[in-house]
Amino acid sequence: MPVAVTEHEHRHPPREADVILDVELERGLLFLVVRNLGDLPAHSVRVRFGQPLHGLGGEKRVDRLQIFRRLEFLGPHRRIHVFLDRTALFFGREEPTELVVTVTWRTDEDHRRRREIRHDLAAYRDIPDLEVPNDA
């Protein structure tokens, strides 16, 4: 006689916190995205940039924002979008396109985790943008 298997027995153990910094392009706008890919929260999340990064038309040092320097809790599967710049402005001022960051965080068990991530924003340079009003 077959034994019934409960739904709980098919589940995988939760994946620990796994934090990345990604780049997203939407309607000609560049965003930096801090994302926890794990099933458990991340604590003491820090994003350190390898060099200064200017956004908002060159007016703001995005790498100095508090969200990157002192994010104490990032829930499971959470993501935080940070506006960087319009692509036309960012690439028009010849901002360096290589972005190297080191992301550090702690797990629920207080284990330290670290990851280096490299992006080349030049990949977004010649993607045609379609700026359409949200109410269109």
Coordinates of all heavy atoms in Angstrom, one line a residue, residues 27 130-136:
R27 N 12.5 52.0 -19.3 CA 12.1 53.2 -20.0 C 13.2 54.3 -20.0 O 12.9 55.4 -19.7 CB 10.8 53.7 -19.4 CG 9.7 52.8 -19.6 CD 8.4 53.4 -19.0 NE 7.3 52.4 -19.2 CZ 6.1 52.8 -19.2 NH1 5.7 54.0 -18.9 NH2 5.1 51.9 -19.4
L130 N 12.3 53.8 -24.8 CA 11.0 54.3 -25.1 C 10.4 54.9 -23.9 O 10.0 54.2 -23.0 CB 10.1 53.1 -25.6 CG 8.7 53.4 -25.9 CD1 8.6 54.4 -27.1 CD2 7.9 52.2 -26.3
E131 N 10.5 56.2 -23.8 CA 9.9 56.8 -22.6 C 8.4 57.1 -22.9 O 8.1 58.0 -23.7 CB 10.7 58.1 -22.3 CG 12.1 57.8 -21.8 CD 12.8 59.0 -21.3 OE1 12.1 59.9 -20.7 OE2 14.0 59.1 -21.4
V132 N 7.6 56.4 -22.3 CA 6.1 56.5 -22.4 C 5.6 56.9 -21.1 O 5.9 56.3 -20.1 CB 5.5 55.1 -22.9 CG1 4.0 55.2 -23.0 CG2 6.2 54.7 -24.2
P133 N 4.7 57.9 -21.1 CA 4.1 58.3 -19.8 C 3.4 57.1 -19.2 O 2.8 56.3 -19.9 CB 3.1 59.4 -20.2 CG 3.5 59.9 -21.5 CD 4.2 58.7 -22.2
N134 N 3.4 57.0 -17.8 CA 2.7 55.9 -17.2 C 1.2 55.9 -17.4 O 0.6 54.8 -17.3 CB 3.0 56.0 -15.7 CG 4.5 55.6 -15.4 OD1 5.1 54.9 -16.1 ND2 5.0 56.1 -14.3
D135 N 0.6 57.0 -17.7 CA -0.8 57.0 -17.9 C -1.2 56.8 -19.3 O -2.4 57.0 -19.7 CB -1.4 58.3 -17.3 CG -0.8 59.6 -18.0 OD1 0.2 59.4 -18.8 OD2 -1.3 60.7 -17.8
A136 N -0.3 56.5 -20.2 CA -0.6 56.3 -21.6 C -1.2 54.9 -21.9 O -1.1 54.0 -21.2 CB 0.7 56.4 -22.5

